[in-house]
Amino acid sequence: MTELNSLTINITQSNTAKSMLEKLPPPAREWAESLPWEQRRYVLSLCHLLCAASPEVQADFLDSYTADGLVSRMLEDRDAQQQLEKYLRRFYISTEINQPVLKTYVRQSFIHSSQDLRRQPDLYLESALRLVLSTKESNSVFNYILGFELLKMIFQMSWSQHERLTALQKSPTSFVKNLIKPIQKSHRLNGIIVPKHEKVFFEKHDYFVQVPSIPEKRLIDLVMFTFSIDTVSELGFSIIRHPQSLVFDYEYIFQSEKEGIFTQGFGNE
């Protein structure tokens, strides 16, 4: 009976190993199965190191090992690149989509993923591998770039500009809840805009029209800390899929500030 159980376990393990290899793209599976034992040991060593590493170390490794290839593949997709640039210009964002910018964003997306999935590193590695293996997944970086650039722009708006941007939206309540309130909460917590004497009109006017001044590095950190990578990517995807999902009127939003009563109170907790 013991020998029978041992045989059953060996067969099950063999089937499991085979099914794992079958999940690889055919060229990768053929390459893995063709390796001599000496080289298979190297692959196993790399697998062990990756699985044992922290998400941050995984992010650093995947960036240095894959970023150049990913960027080259993304640059080949001229249609997606031009579409992204078209939407950026629609929002008066001047970021150029070139090799250095793409490489920076690929690395940033790895790091952002590692922060989001700190408690579930296996899911992080899985998402990173999908990015490396799938052309469709790698193109999702374009969605991430658009969403991130938009959030950077909104982070640098005054609360009065937030109010005007919100007034344009088809679902202002949802827009405030999902985007504006998290940003204004971050403004408060990080001492960027600190409301004082909110019920006093002139005091309210001062902080309400204050345009945040945030260094680029800190701005990137704030966006990554405030929003998950999924939220950022979904924002970009929603605009590419439905251009009017974020209604935008530059002249109206960034008009000169005037003395007036601000009744919406979007910054209130």
Side-chain angles (χ1 to χ4, degrees):
M1 182 64 69
T2 302
E3 291 181 359
L4 180 59
N5 288 340
S6 178
L7 178 60
T8 302
I9 292 172
N10 289 336
I11 292 173
T12 301
Q13 291 175 339
S14 176
N15 289 336
T16 301
K18 184 177 180 180
S19 64
M20 287 179 62
L21 287 175
E22 287 175 348
K23 292 179 180 179
L24 291 171
R29 184 174 68 247
E30 292 171 7
W31 172 82
E33 291 175 339
S34 69
L35 290 176
W37 168 241
E38 186 69 22
Q39 294 180 22
R40 292 188 185 195
R41 288 169 52 195
Y42 302 153
V43 173
L44 291 172
S45 296
L46 179 58
C47 291
H48 171 73
L49 289 173
L50 268 178
C51 292
S54 67
E56 291 82 358
V57 173
Q58 291 179 8
D60 286 339
F61 170 79
L62 288 167
D63 168 59
S64 61
Y65 197 68
T66 67
D68 288 335
L70 279 171
V71 168
S72 296
R73 189 165 66 184
M74 291 167 66
L75 287 172
E76 291 174 358
D77 191 343
R78 292 294 301 166
D79 290 341
Q81 184 181 344
Q82 290 172 359
Q83 187 179 35
L84 171 58
E85 290 178 336
K86 179 185 74 174
Y87 284 114
L88 289 173
R89 302 302 172 263
R90 176 192 158 197
F91 294 105
Y92 290 76
I93 297 171
S94 60
T95 301
E96 297 289 339
I97 304 304
N98 51 37
Q99 186 167 354
V101 168
L102 286 175
K103 188 169 183 179
T104 297
Y105 263 111
V106 167
R107 174 178 174 76
Q108 181 179 301
S109 69
F110 284 143
I111 296 172
H112 203 161
S113 292
S114 71
Q115 291 179 354
D116 285 354
L117 300 171
R118 191 180 305 277
R119 297 180 182 177
Q120 302 179 73
D122 291 342
L123 293 180
Y124 160 67
L125 183 57
E126 180 181 335
S127 65
L129 288 173
R130 285 202 307 269
L131 182 64
V132 171
L133 295 173
S134 168
T135 300
K136 181 179 179 180
E137 290 286 342
S138 64
N139 284 345
S140 70
V141 176
F142 288 126
N143 298 333
Y144 177 75
I145 294 173
L146 178 56
F148 205 92
E149 289 288 328
L150 285 170
L151 289 171
K152 284 168 58 180
M153 177 187 69
I154 300 173
F155 243 101
Q156 297 177 93
M157 289 182 180
S158 70
W159 291 13
S160 177
Q161 291 165 349
H162 285 169
E163 181 176 290
R164 291 194 287 273
L165 175 62
T166 300
L168 296 171
Q169 306 312 311
K170 298 176 182 177
S171 301
T173 301
S174 175
F175 186 75
V176 168
K177 177 182 177 182
N178 296 325
L179 296 182
I180 299 301
K181 278 197 171 182
I183 288 174
Q184 292 188 353
K185 182 178 180 180
S186 182
H187 281 173
R188 291 173 181 260
L189 291 175
N190 292 279
I192 297 168
I193 295 179
V194 182
K196 296 180 180 178
H197 312 296
E198 295 183 48
K199 298 186 182 297
V200 179
F201 170 75
F202 289 106
E203 290 287 348
K204 184 170 185 179
H205 182 270
D206 286 344
Y207 81 76
F208 212 71
V209 301
Q210 177 186 344
V211 177
S213 178
I214 312 173
E216 180 71 10
K217 176 62 170 66
R218 189 181 187 202
L219 179 61
I220 291 170
D221 290 342
L222 286 171
V223 176
M224 291 173 66
F225 180 80
T226 305
F227 297 101
S228 70
I229 190 171
D230 287 342
T231 299
V232 175
S233 297
E234 286 167 7
L235 174 61
F237 176 73
S238 68
I239 293 169
I240 290 176
R241 187 175 183 183
H242 302 291
Q244 291 304 310
S245 61
L246 178 62
V247 184
F248 190 79
D249 183 333
Y250 182 88
E251 298 298 332
Y252 172 68
I253 296 167
F254 294 98
Q255 64 183 270
S256 298
E257 300 293 354
K258 299 177 181 179
E259 295 287 338
I261 298 175
F262 305 102
T263 57
Q264 299 297 326
F266 292 142
N268 296 336
E269 295 294 333

